[in-house]
Amino acid sequence: MDVDKLFKVPKLPTGVKRKLPDNPTPEMLKKMRLDAHGQADSDHDGHDAILPNRRATVEDEPEEDQDTPFAPGGDADYFAEEDEEGRFYGGGLTSQQKEILSIFEKAEGEGIQDEPEEVTLPSIRRTLTRFERAVNKNQDQRSKYPDDPTKFIDSEADLDSAIKSLLPLAQSPVLAYPEIVRTGALTLLIGLLSHENVDIVIDTVELFNELTDEDVGSEGEDDAEEAQAALKVLIEALVEHSILELLVDNLSRLNEAEESDRQGVFLIIGVFENVLGFNPDLSENLVAQTKIMNWLLERILWKAHDENRCYAAELLSILLQNSSANREELGKKDGVENMLRALSQFRRRDPVDADEAEFMENLFDALCSALSDPGVKSLFLASEGVDLMLLMMK
């Protein structure tokens, strides 16, 4: 035996290739396959470390304008806008949004710059002329096409606007009121109280309520005496044109179930209060020439309480305050009985709020004024009014 051959170091293989045995086992094949994959991955990683990444995709391709971010609407200044001093003042708007914003800013600027037209005699005459044309056009359209509202609806809208354009005249009674009477505009306004469209009637009543307010011209008139003289001219002309009768007729025409009609009733009572506040002597004319007393006595008996019920009680108190003739008329229409019935609801409860408390106070004011008449006192006793008062006091 050669000892040197036994301990001789074998030569190492120069490559990575391996020779399979003649009969390899399945475990050996599996191991060699795993080793081969690991070697390939190692070679691939090393190759990637040396060579640049050559796998190009669509996402990796640069955009044409890489410095410009995406902007909705194609606006380059979507994300940032600067003023003349370089300060950031807005952004994040598309061109359409900026156009809309520009329109609104322009409209606001015009609203600030446009000052109300100064009320002068020429401007008053122009306003009254436009109103007269609107009335005549609407009457003409309604007479030509009475059964086709589409033919006169535009003229009705113009008439509505023309009536509202007269509201500022209440701030210049010295100039406006004589012109309203002189030009015949007052006659046209009175005629509109009988208009087929209730909305036009309510607009007209609102105008009368503003024109007859006791504070007309207080904001812009230096001479209060001249303003009151102008108001007197207007009220006298209104009474001469039977405005009291026309307003009372519209009370039964309006349906208080509708909000606009309910407001119309409130405005009518307001006109009565304004006229009587300026000239209390007209209260007897109002009661003698109209059915206002009947309407008031029925209105205070409504079970549902609202501002019109309270206002009706206040007007009743005004009518009875300084007129013995009106107190006698109250007695003839069983007014004492109606007032006691209205007050009887407070026998066992207090008013639920301030409005109802005011309603109760107005009824007591009216009753106290009426009791100054001997005939009303007898009716009060006959209706057991004293017993009711004692129950309410308890």
Side-chain angles (χ1 to χ4, degrees):
M1 178 180 295
D2 190 353
V3 177
D4 294 331
K5 291 183 178 180
L6 291 175
F7 293 96
K8 188 178 180 178
V9 179
K11 294 181 179 180
L12 294 175
T14 59
V16 294
K17 293 183 179 180
R18 299 181 188 182
K19 290 184 178 181
L20 292 175
D22 296 334
N23 295 313
T25 62
E27 291 78 5
M28 186 179 297
L29 293 173
K30 181 177 180 180
K31 181 178 180 182
M32 293 182 67
R33 185 164 54 248
L34 292 175
D35 292 341
H37 281 298
Q39 183 68 23
D41 292 341
S42 175
D43 294 342
H44 180 71
D45 293 340
H47 183 70
D48 288 346
I50 299 173
L51 298 177
N53 185 5
R54 302 181 63 174
R55 290 176 298 172
T57 62
V58 175
E59 289 77 11
D60 293 335
E61 291 294 331
E63 299 289 341
E64 293 181 2
D65 296 329
Q66 193 67 24
D67 297 333
T68 303
F70 168 73
D75 290 343
D77 59 348
Y78 176 82
F79 291 102
E81 297 176 5
E82 297 180 353
D83 58 11
E84 296 177 353
E85 299 179 4
R87 295 175 299 184
F88 176 80
Y89 70 93
L93 298 178
T94 65
S95 58
Q96 183 180 9
Q97 292 171 337
K98 287 188 288 185
E99 182 179 357
I100 294 174
L101 182 61
S102 176
I103 293 174
F104 276 103
E105 290 177 349
K106 183 178 179 181
E108 292 177 359
E110 292 177 353
I112 296 174
Q113 294 174 2
D114 292 342
E115 297 181 357
E117 182 181 3
E118 182 182 358
V119 179
T120 61
L121 195 56
S123 67
I124 292 172
R125 289 172 178 171
R126 286 194 299 270
T127 302
L128 295 177
T129 300
R130 287 193 295 266
F131 165 71
E132 182 179 358
R133 291 174 181 170
V135 173
N136 293 335
K137 181 179 179 181
N138 180 248
Q139 291 178 348
D140 182 62
Q141 295 294 323
R142 274 189 167 271
S143 61
K144 287 182 178 180
Y145 312 102
D147 300 324
D148 189 359
T150 60
K151 298 293 186 180
F152 56 76
I153 188 171
D154 291 337
S155 65
E156 212 121 294
D158 294 339
L159 177 58
D160 177 82
S161 300
I163 295 172
K164 287 181 169 59
S165 69
L166 300 179
L167 289 172
L169 299 185
Q171 301 303 319
S172 300
V174 175
L175 290 176
Y177 290 6
E179 282 298 309
I180 292 175
V181 176
R182 186 189 65 81
T183 59
L186 183 66
T187 304
L188 295 176
L189 287 169
I190 293 291
L192 292 179
L193 292 176
S194 302
H195 198 276
E196 293 86 349
N197 189 341
V198 176
D199 292 332
I200 296 297
V201 175
I202 295 174
D203 287 342
T204 307
V205 173
E206 180 182 8
L207 176 61
F208 283 137
N209 188 62
E210 290 292 329
L211 295 178
T212 58
D213 191 277
E214 61 180 0
D215 295 328
V216 291
S218 60
E219 298 181 0
E221 287 293 337
D222 297 331
D223 195 339
E225 293 184 0
E226 291 184 5
Q228 291 299 306
L231 179 59
K232 180 181 178 181
V233 171
L234 179 68
I235 290 180
E236 289 178 350
L238 289 173
V239 174
E240 183 180 349
H241 286 81
S242 305
I243 189 176
L244 301 179
E245 293 87 340
L246 290 170
L247 290 176
V248 173
D249 291 341
N250 277 294
L251 286 173
S252 57
R253 180 183 176 186
L254 299 176
N255 177 18
E256 292 193 59
E258 302 290 337
E259 174 62 28
S260 59
D261 288 20
R262 184 162 58 251
Q263 182 65 20
V265 171
F266 185 86
L267 292 171
I268 288 176
I269 299 176
V271 175
F272 290 144
E273 183 183 21
N274 293 341
V275 171
L276 297 180
F278 185 82
N279 186 0
D281 295 338
L282 292 174
S283 64
E284 293 186 359
N285 294 24
L286 178 59
V287 172
Q289 299 175 9
T290 70
K291 297 180 179 180
I292 185 64
M293 185 68 75
N294 294 337
W295 186 87
L296 293 174
L297 293 175
E298 292 177 2
R299 189 63 181 82
I300 62 175
L301 292 178
W302 284 27
K303 292 183 179 180
H305 182 73
D306 57 17
E307 58 182 1
N308 286 349
R309 187 184 184 216
C310 182
Y311 213 176
E314 182 178 351
L315 180 59
L316 182 62
S317 174
I318 294 173
L319 292 175
L320 300 175
Q321 190 171 11
N322 298 312
S323 174
S324 58
N326 290 348
R327 296 170 194 151
E328 292 178 4
E329 191 67 20
L330 175 74
K332 295 177 183 179
K333 298 183 181 298
D334 293 330
V336 175
E337 179 70 21
N338 282 28
M339 285 193 289
L340 292 177
R341 286 172 57 192
L343 287 170
S344 64
Q345 62 181 306
F346 302 110
R347 286 181 304 172
R348 298 173 183 175
R349 70 173 182 86
D350 291 334
V352 296
D353 53 25
D355 289 339
E356 199 171 46
E358 183 181 359
F359 167 73
M360 182 183 68
E361 293 171 0
N362 288 330
L363 284 180
F364 273 116
D365 289 342
L367 188 58
C368 289
S369 298
L371 287 173
S372 61
D373 184 82
V376 174
K377 287 181 181 179
S378 301
L379 294 172
F380 180 77
L381 295 174
S383 299
E384 300 180 350
V386 175
D387 297 335
L388 176 62
M389 298 299 108
L390 292 174
L391 289 173
M392 294 183 69
M393 290 175 66
K394 291 180 180 180

